[in-house]
Amino acid sequence: MKKYILGIITITLCLKVCYFIFSLCVAKFDSEYQTACTTSEFISVFKKNDSFWYQKAAEEGYPKITNPADLGYSSGKYFKQSVWAHFPLYPLLIRYTERLFNLNFDQSCFILSIIFSLSSFIGFYLLCIHLLKINEKDSFVYTLTLMLFPFHYYFNMYYTEALFFTFLVFSFLSITKKNYWLTGLMLIPLTLVRPNGLITIIPLFIYFMEVEGGFKYFFNRYLKFDKVLILKSLCFLSAPITLGVYCLYQKQMTNHYFAFVQAQYGWYKEFMFPFMGLFRRGDFTTQFNSIYVLVVMVLAVFIWKKLPLSLNVLIWISILLPMASGSVACMPRYISVLFPFTVFITSLFIKSKYRFFILGGLFCLQLLTFYP
């Protein structure tokens, strides 16, 4: 196992170098990309899009709001956005890394991206072994697929994917090992990383029931007031308690318990039936993401019987919940953390003698999706 973990560490670090070299190569042919790459440091290559919002939250904090419109709104071509749309754990980690080591934002994020990309990949490797019962050698190949699959460069960016995925996989692992005190601890940061963190406890609790003997056996024990089982299940209370405390903080600062929901309107998001968010705009990104989501949903239906209920619920919650906001803009990011898809796709070529050529092809596609 040690040699495979060492391999994961080495490849993770090499990936960052590959992204930078790719950026330098692109800069030679793209004048717009040139000023964003060759004149900046290596670590700035991974700073894109939402990274600037995390920087604002980390360095300026979450402002006190007196006018509800300052939380966020959109009307035609007019809109206003605020940091309240982003959950606080990642900005807090950045802030205290800056203070502790006297670093700037880019340097702090680079350190955190190394730590959490490594923890997410190693966590997935261990998940394959202990939850999915895959041998160590094959688990390494499954992990390579997770690392090299298109859109999975998100794990190496200054985003929350690696952070979220780390606590997600270690929550599953802690339940597998029946270390429920650790599960309770993992759910606290998981809830504070992204808005859908709390909802993730649903598939985790279902998995807890599966580990404890299945639904029928679980409910029979619960109805008989099995004290041991009830005490074990209390670990899941850490998630709603954490969100409750955060909602009280939002109320104090903005006069809204769910300020993060209001702030989403600044990104032209509004609650609607999930499928109505598909193909809402005519731009290439919306069209591509809509098709990508549909392909993933078809695949989710196809693999339904191959997965336990907990993982199926994880998939559908992670797809339908963000789609209910009326936007598919971030769907590739949400889908990247759905590890059952990685497992299924890898199972299609794991025994092929061309598997490493396939992985190479996937990485080429990843660079193609990294470029925009």
Side-chain angles (χ1 to χ4, degrees):
M1 182 184 294
K2 289 183 179 179
K3 68 175 181 180
Y4 293 119
I5 291 179
L6 181 61
I8 291 170
I9 293 172
T10 303
I11 295 172
T12 301
L13 297 177
C14 288
L15 277 177
K16 293 188 180 296
V17 177
C18 289
Y19 295 140
F20 182 63
I21 294 174
F22 175 75
S23 299
L24 289 177
C25 293
V26 170
K28 293 182 179 180
F29 304 99
D30 190 330
S31 58
E32 292 183 7
Y33 203 79
Q34 188 171 6
T35 55
C37 178
T38 57
T39 60
S40 64
E41 299 178 1
F42 161 64
I43 57 178
S44 298
V45 170
F46 310 98
K47 182 181 180 182
K48 298 178 184 291
N49 302 322
D50 282 353
S51 302
F52 295 94
W53 282 107
Y54 298 130
Q55 181 173 10
K56 185 177 180 67
E59 297 180 349
E60 300 177 19
Y62 288 79
K64 192 171 183 62
I65 301 291
T66 55
N67 182 1
D70 289 336
L71 279 174
Y73 70 86
S74 57
S75 178
K77 64 179 181 179
Y78 302 102
F79 65 93
K80 185 177 181 64
Q81 299 172 333
S82 75
V83 294
W84 284 101
H86 304 279
F87 267 41
L89 181 62
Y90 187 47
L92 284 173
L93 288 174
I94 296 168
R95 175 186 296 181
Y96 288 107
T97 303
E98 288 178 345
R99 292 180 179 179
L100 184 62
F101 299 103
N102 194 27
L103 303 173
N104 61 31
F105 174 83
D106 289 358
Q107 294 166 339
S108 300
C109 286
F110 185 69
I111 291 173
L112 291 173
S113 74
I114 291 176
I115 293 172
F116 287 106
S117 59
L118 284 173
S119 62
S120 60
F121 296 144
I122 293 172
F124 177 70
Y125 173 74
L126 297 175
L127 191 76
C128 289
I129 294 173
H130 297 291
L131 190 153
L132 303 174
K133 307 302 180 184
I134 301 170
N135 65 63
E136 295 178 4
K137 182 179 179 180
D138 286 349
S139 292
F140 179 68
V141 179
Y142 280 82
T143 307
L144 288 179
T145 304
L146 179 73
M147 298 165 73
L148 303 178
F149 198 77
F151 294 116
H152 288 196
Y153 64 85
Y154 290 129
F155 288 103
N156 289 281
M157 308 302 290
Y158 302 158
Y159 293 162
T160 58
E161 270 61 38
L163 188 63
F164 181 84
F165 192 69
T166 293
F167 293 116
L168 177 65
V169 294
F170 279 103
S171 294
F172 272 103
L173 277 169
S174 63
I175 295 172
T176 302
K177 295 292 187 179
K178 297 188 177 184
N179 291 331
Y180 297 127
W181 63 270
L182 181 59
T183 303
L185 290 177
M186 290 292 105
L187 292 180
I188 295 173
L190 184 65
T191 304
L192 292 175
V193 176
R194 283 164 39 166
N196 62 332
L198 179 67
I199 305 299
T200 308
I201 71 170
I202 297 176
L204 285 169
F205 188 77
I206 293 174
Y207 180 61
F208 167 69
M209 290 191 288
E210 292 168 347
V211 168
E212 286 296 325
F215 294 96
K216 185 177 180 180
Y217 180 64
F218 178 87
F219 284 115
N220 283 337
R221 292 170 63 192
Y222 225 88
L223 292 174
K224 293 177 181 178
F225 297 99
D226 186 326
K227 291 183 180 179
V228 175
L229 184 64
I230 292 173
L231 287 174
K232 289 178 179 178
S233 65
L234 291 179
C235 68
F236 289 92
L237 289 178
S238 62
I241 290 172
T242 300
L243 183 64
V245 172
Y246 182 54
C247 286
L248 290 174
Y249 173 72
Q250 291 176 98
K251 174 66 174 178
Q252 180 184 5
M253 295 294 291
T254 70
N255 202 35
H256 287 269
Y257 285 107
F258 297 96
F260 67 91
V261 176
Q262 176 67 31
Q264 296 298 323
Y265 292 116
W267 275 262
Y268 292 85
K269 294 182 179 181
E270 54 184 312
F271 182 75
M272 62 178 62
F273 184 70
F275 295 99
M276 292 182 65
L278 297 171
F279 305 103
R280 288 188 71 195
R281 296 181 177 86
D283 60 283
F284 173 78
T285 300
T286 300
Q287 300 296 308
F288 177 85
N289 286 351
S290 297
I291 294 172
Y292 184 64
V293 170
L294 288 175
V295 171
V296 169
M297 292 175 72
V298 170
L299 182 59
V301 173
F302 178 74
I303 65 176
W304 174 271
K305 293 184 178 180
K306 301 177 184 292
L307 299 174
L309 179 61
S310 55
L311 296 187
N312 279 307
V313 172
L314 173 67
I315 289 172
W316 286 103
I317 283 180
S318 301
I319 293 174
L320 295 179
L321 185 63
M323 282 180 61
S325 68
S327 173
V328 294
C330 296
M331 287 307 297
R333 290 179 61 181
Y334 291 116
I335 292 170
S336 67
V337 300
L338 297 181
F339 61 86
F341 288 118
T342 299
V343 173
F344 173 72
I345 291 170
T346 309
S347 68
L348 298 178
F349 67 83
I350 185 71
K351 300 302 181 182
S352 171
K353 62 181 179 180
Y354 302 110
R355 58 184 178 276
F356 291 108
F357 289 102
I358 294 172
L359 288 170
L362 291 176
F363 181 57
C364 290
L365 291 174
Q366 185 183 102
L367 292 178
L368 185 64
T369 60
F370 170 76
Y371 167 66

